[in-house]
Amino acid sequence: MTAKEREYKTLCFSNEGLDRGAKEETMEPWDLTVANWEASGLKSDFTKKMKTPPVPTELGFLPKDRVTEPWEHYYMTVLADEVFELEKKIGYDPLVRMAFRIPFLSYEEEVLEEDEETFVRRDVDGWQRRYYKHKTVKTSLDAIPVKPIVWDEESWEKHKAHTLEAYRTYCTDENMEKMYGTYREISESGAYPIRFRLMGFFWILRDLMDNEPMLYAWYDYPEMIRDIHRFQLDMYKEQMDKILKIVKPGVLFFEEDLSGKTGPMISPDTFDEFLRPCYEEIIPFLKERGVGHVIVDTDGDFTKLIPNFMESGVDGFLPIDVNAGVDIVKVREQYPTLKFIGGFNKLELLKGPEAIDREFRRLEPVIRQGGYLCGIDHQAAPDTPWEYYQYYVKRLGEVMAECRGEK
């Protein structure tokens, strides 16, 4: 069977026609983690080739050896080949990871003010941030936010107009084909699964406004939020209609991160008012065009919102944050049709083989039930020993083969 078929059937609840469970990683790795593994024996030059983006509103990796074209930040496949090769070397069933991004990252960098110790710069995402001159700055995570790109209706209208101009300039059929067309044959053959990501409907507000202003905006600017979501949905539907004729992801996930250790940052009522209509509109659209599973990415304890997400059409969740108190075994008992990616406590990797085996035993009932791609609950921490991680990957393959598939 093809790797794409294996992934799909692993996320189903039947072993019929399945040779073994898929052996995949939840997310692409942290660069600091890979650097430590390379220093400990991993034969890879990943960190020599790839770097993290300069602003926190862009995820993934960018190449170190060249300047990327603007459309590469929107039709995002630049991380696909290098992460694929890295996962293959580590021992996974490798994935082709890609994304589409609304062209918010379309501003020219500009220093707006400075003094002896600091300067304020408008970054590529339009945010203004203060940087300290004496610090070696790698990303804007090292800076102090001064002003987000959106804070009221007027600023949103201005940013929307700017984004539409970038959209018309760079999000062309020609550029789309340049970036995704390389993977058409892989998609058609099913040789490897494609995992696609889109910015979610909570996430987009945080990226535009920052946390506290965003949380007030649900009450102060509800019509602006609806307009942001309408803009987002219209752009997704126009672009994904074309992209899904080139590649068909087995898993497409929406980045949300709308929950913390104590629970969701919005109530079920707020979800139903603002986010539910978005998911109810976009999920059937995506599935009609060949997407296998639609998953939501949220850290923390999201369990209060599970009924709302399921009623909206969501198939499941990743990465299932164990250290926020989310017990995948108990959640599956309560929601037997809910699907998962992740769920393996990454902190157990730090303790060695016995702890790793114990964690697999904890997860075994859910693995055997199906509807579950077992993987780390986010990404391995930078201090995870390479020796222990190798053991984890080996055992993951053994457990997925033993617990899933026709026998």
Side-chain angles (χ1 to χ4, degrees):
M1 68 189 316
T2 67
K4 181 179 180 179
E5 290 170 340
R6 182 178 299 113
E7 178 192 70
Y8 183 83
K9 288 182 179 293
T10 303
L11 276 171
C12 293
F13 291 92
S14 170
N15 285 323
E16 184 178 355
L18 178 63
D19 57 350
R20 62 172 175 84
K23 178 186 178 184
E24 298 177 357
E25 185 52 294
T26 309
M27 306 285 282
E28 68 270 13
W30 280 333
D31 57 336
L32 293 176
T33 307
V34 178
N36 286 340
W37 291 344
E38 288 174 344
S40 301
L42 171 62
K43 291 182 170 59
S44 162
D45 55 1
F46 181 84
T47 56
K48 292 180 181 178
K49 293 181 177 180
M50 306 300 286
K51 63 182 179 182
T52 53
V55 293
T57 52
E58 181 170 21
L59 301 181
F61 293 98
L62 297 173
K64 284 183 176 180
D65 61 352
R66 64 180 178 85
V67 177
T68 47
E69 298 290 349
W71 59 82
E72 293 184 88
H73 299 265
Y74 317 138
Y75 297 140
M76 193 173 179
T77 64
V78 292
L79 77 167
D81 292 343
E82 293 300 332
V83 172
F84 177 92
E85 291 299 327
L86 176 65
E87 291 183 340
K88 194 173 180 180
K89 287 177 181 177
I90 289 174
Y92 286 112
D93 298 341
L95 302 172
V96 180
R97 301 179 185 268
M98 56 181 66
F100 168 69
R101 298 296 190 206
I102 295 173
F104 292 144
L105 303 171
S106 51
Y107 289 85
E108 294 289 333
E109 286 188 357
E110 181 183 359
V111 175
L112 304 176
E113 62 180 75
E114 63 179 308
D115 55 34
E116 291 184 2
E117 295 186 355
T118 69
F119 62 91
V120 174
R121 186 177 70 198
R122 183 184 66 188
D123 287 322
V124 294
D125 57 359
W127 280 59
Q128 297 177 26
R129 298 180 177 92
R130 184 176 299 278
Y131 294 86
Y132 286 89
K133 294 180 178 180
H134 65 276
K135 287 187 176 181
T136 303
V137 176
K138 292 184 178 180
T139 75
S140 55
L141 289 171
D142 301 298
I144 300 171
V146 174
K147 195 173 189 178
I149 188 60
V150 172
W151 59 91
D152 60 12
E153 294 104 325
E154 184 179 353
S155 60
W156 161 240
E157 290 297 329
K158 185 177 179 181
H159 181 52
K160 179 167 65 170
H162 176 92
T163 302
L164 281 170
E165 184 177 348
Y167 179 72
R168 288 190 289 266
T169 302
Y170 299 116
C171 293
T172 64
D173 292 351
E174 180 184 2
N175 289 335
M176 180 187 293
E177 179 63 30
K178 284 179 187 175
M179 301 308 294
Y180 299 114
T182 304
Y183 305 98
R184 180 183 278 104
E185 185 176 342
I186 287 175
S187 178
E188 291 175 350
S189 69
Y192 299 103
I194 292 173
R195 187 162 297 176
F196 207 97
R197 59 201 294 169
L198 291 171
M199 185 184 295
F201 303 98
F202 180 92
W203 185 298
I204 190 174
L205 301 173
R206 184 182 56 225
D207 267 12
L208 295 177
M209 304 184 72
D210 209 357
N211 285 315
E212 187 173 327
M214 175 265 296
L215 293 172
Y216 278 110
W218 302 101
Y219 305 95
D220 295 340
Y221 302 113
E223 292 308 313
M224 180 187 74
I225 289 179
R226 291 188 180 94
D227 189 62
I228 291 171
H229 286 161
R230 185 70 263 158
F231 178 81
Q232 185 181 14
L233 283 165
D234 289 346
M235 195 168 288
Y236 281 173
K237 291 171 81 171
E238 182 172 336
Q239 289 294 304
M240 295 306 296
D241 184 55
K242 298 176 182 179
I243 292 170
L244 293 175
K245 292 173 182 173
I246 303 174
V247 295
K248 296 196 185 300
V251 171
L252 183 150
F253 68 90
F254 285 91
E255 305 149 331
E256 288 291 13
D257 278 2
L258 50 68
S259 45
K261 193 169 185 178
T262 58
M265 287 182 270
I266 57 172
S267 69
D269 288 344
T270 300
F271 178 95
D272 286 345
E273 182 178 354
F274 292 98
L275 270 65
R276 181 196 285 263
C278 299
Y279 279 108
E280 289 181 339
E281 180 174 341
I282 196 64
I283 290 176
F285 179 90
L286 296 169
K287 290 199 168 184
E288 287 166 6
R289 287 156 179 79
V291 172
H293 295 90
V294 175
I295 303 293
V296 166
D297 165 24
T298 183
D299 298 336
D301 182 357
F302 57 89
T303 51
K304 279 186 180 178
L305 292 178
I306 289 177
N308 307 75
F309 272 112
M310 292 183 73
E311 291 165 8
S312 303
V314 169
D315 293 311
F317 294 88
L318 66 81
I320 320 301
D321 194 345
V322 180
N323 294 289
V326 182
D327 185 334
I328 195 172
V329 179
K330 292 181 179 178
V331 173
R332 173 58 68 77
E333 289 175 356
Q334 191 171 0
Y335 303 100
T337 63
L338 193 62
K339 300 180 180 184
F340 307 107
I341 301 175
F344 188 103
N345 187 350
K346 58 184 170 291
L347 299 184
E348 296 302 303
L349 298 179
L350 304 175
K351 303 174 185 177
E354 289 186 11
I356 292 169
D357 288 340
R358 184 169 57 248
E359 182 70 356
F360 276 123
R361 287 194 295 272
R362 181 181 74 86
L363 299 172
E364 185 176 326
V366 185
I367 297 173
R368 289 189 180 277
Q369 290 164 6
Y372 178 34
L373 285 167
C374 184
I376 296 172
D377 63 340
H378 210 284
Q379 295 153 310
D383 55 347
T384 302
W386 172 234
E387 177 186 359
Y388 294 168
Y389 191 72
Q390 286 179 291
Y391 181 82
Y392 160 78
V393 174
K394 172 178 171 291
R395 289 293 295 134
L396 175 64
E398 293 169 350
V399 170
M400 294 303 288
E402 177 187 338
C403 295
R404 294 301 311 278
E406 291 182 330
K407 300 296 188 285

